[in-house]
Amino acid sequence: MDILNDILDTLDLNGALYFRTDFSGPWSVTVPRLEAAARFHLVVQGKCTISVPNKPNIVLNSGDLILIPRGQTHILSDSPVETAPPLETILDQAGYDGEGVLIVGEGDKSASTQLICGHFTFRENADHPILRALPDYLLMTSSERAQNPWLDDVLRLIAGRMFSGHVGAHASVKRLSEVMFIEMLRMTIEDQKEIKPILRGFQEPHVGKALALLHNDPSYHWTVESLAKEVGMSRSSFADKFAELIGQGPMSYLSEWRLQKSLYLLDQRNLSVQQIAEMIGYKSPAAFTRAFAAKFGTSPTKYRR
């Protein structure tokens, strides 16, 4: 199975567009923190500076794309600044109602900065080693895009749809942006030292097979010994290799994944807590409830309500 696809489905990846801009200088805006989200900014025309806390300023030129995975606050501006008005203030001053283009300033339109800004949300309490290992930002320049024609085509479609004004443009961009997120992860992930071992783990024959077994059947009563036997390694060698690449032991990974899967299943209203407990490998609803409460601070029933 495609493990990354299973992870993103379970964590409930959803794309949303929040505005496209036409900013004439001077301008600046503070984008607020957004929990369980990843924000992106695609520069269609002009350039802008992005200030991420505790990081050097980043200058984005036309065609560049930045993804800020953990929803942390940041400043967008036409030139480096230390402070900027909150996004809500900018929206109020512009009289923006969520439709069309967010226009700020009355300068030369041919020299304005046009952005497509959106975000991806994850389910509350979504967690996985991949999310924990993501850097403060992922940047793809226009030259890097040229080396990845398929992603470049997706970004061109997003820009074309957003500035076309056609019916259904927002719906198209929402779906295209989800594809963009997945492909950007795939293409930039190998350059990130924190994530690179995890990706290697997906592809390494023994650890990759073990992950596929865990994701295909999380309800099975796996042990380190049974997994090691399935992949053809000794218990100790397998446990060491898994922890080296994934960042945690196989049983710890399985326990966490079962609980992430339970969040996904609790959204399915036709399933009882007892059914969910069985589907993810708990011997009883009581055992599931104890583990769930220890992890998330509430019972499965209360979480569902």
Side-chain angles (χ1 to χ4, degrees):
M1 69 179 299
D2 186 332
I3 299 171
L4 183 58
N5 182 65
D6 185 42
I7 291 167
L8 294 177
D9 278 351
T10 300
L11 301 183
D12 196 26
L13 171 70
N14 277 291
L17 181 84
Y18 56 97
F19 51 73
R20 58 190 176 103
T21 77
D22 194 337
F23 288 164
S24 301
W27 62 269
S28 62
V29 57
T30 298
V31 182
R33 181 172 180 81
L34 183 63
E35 296 292 339
R39 283 197 170 96
F40 72 87
H41 304 289
L42 172 63
V43 182
V44 177
Q45 174 183 291
K47 66 178 183 178
C48 71
T49 298
I50 293 192
S51 304
V52 178
N54 304 315
K55 295 291 179 181
N57 289 337
I58 309 150
V59 176
L60 300 184
N61 294 297
S62 180
D64 292 351
L65 168 69
I66 191 168
L67 176 70
I68 301 175
R70 281 182 283 277
Q72 61 182 311
T73 184
H74 52 280
I75 294 176
L76 299 173
S77 57
D78 62 336
S79 59
V81 296
E82 293 185 0
T83 61
L87 175 60
E88 288 75 10
T89 300
I90 297 296
L91 296 176
D92 287 343
Q93 290 175 346
Y96 185 66
D97 62 1
E99 298 294 331
V101 182
L102 171 59
I103 299 174
V104 175
E106 298 178 356
D108 181 2
K109 294 303 180 185
S110 64
S112 66
T113 299
Q114 296 181 358
L115 304 170
I116 295 174
C117 303
H119 65 251
F120 309 96
T121 58
F122 296 94
R123 179 177 286 103
E124 184 182 357
N125 293 314
D127 189 25
H128 190 271
I130 284 181
L131 294 187
R132 295 196 293 268
L134 284 171
D136 289 329
Y137 65 85
L138 292 170
L139 174 63
M140 178 163 283
T141 65
S142 56
S143 60
E144 289 170 328
R145 282 176 52 183
Q147 299 171 27
N148 297 283
W150 201 86
L151 176 60
D152 191 51
D153 287 344
V154 171
L155 293 174
R156 288 178 189 277
L157 276 171
I158 288 174
R161 287 287 187 185
M162 276 314 301
F163 286 89
S164 70
H166 293 162
V167 174
H170 278 252
S172 294
V173 169
K174 180 178 183 296
R175 298 300 178 221
L176 288 168
S177 67
E178 291 168 12
V179 175
M180 179 200 77
F181 177 83
I182 294 167
E183 291 306 312
M184 194 172 183
L185 272 186
R186 290 184 192 276
M187 291 173 184
T188 61
I189 210 169
E190 294 209 31
D191 297 326
Q192 306 299 323
K193 63 180 181 179
E194 297 87 354
I195 307 178
K196 193 171 182 178
I198 300 174
L199 182 65
R200 283 182 24 232
F202 287 0
Q203 299 170 330
E204 198 276 335
H206 302 98
V207 174
K209 182 177 179 181
L211 285 167
L213 290 168
L214 297 177
H215 280 262
N216 274 322
D217 192 2
S219 66
Y220 186 79
H221 299 300
W222 296 107
T223 63
V224 177
E225 290 83 356
S226 64
L227 284 168
K229 183 177 180 180
E230 287 285 343
V231 303
M233 293 182 74
S234 71
R235 181 192 186 282
S236 60
S237 295
F238 166 69
D240 289 346
K241 176 63 73 174
F242 192 102
E244 174 192 347
L245 294 175
I246 306 304
Q248 62 187 132
M251 293 301 96
S252 173
Y253 182 93
L254 176 59
S255 296
E256 289 187 0
W257 184 245
R258 282 173 170 168
L259 291 175
Q260 289 299 316
K261 208 70 177 175
S262 75
L263 296 176
Y264 169 80
L265 294 170
L266 283 165
D267 283 344
Q268 319 305 312
R269 297 290 174 167
N270 59 320
L271 297 174
S272 68
V273 170
Q274 180 173 350
Q275 288 174 311
I276 292 171
E278 293 173 357
M279 291 172 70
I280 60 174
Y282 282 88
K283 293 181 179 179
S284 69
F288 167 50
T289 297
R290 285 195 298 272
F292 190 96
K295 177 69 174 178
F296 302 120
T298 187
S299 71
T301 302
K302 288 181 179 178
Y303 179 91
R304 171 174 273 174
R305 281 205 296 268

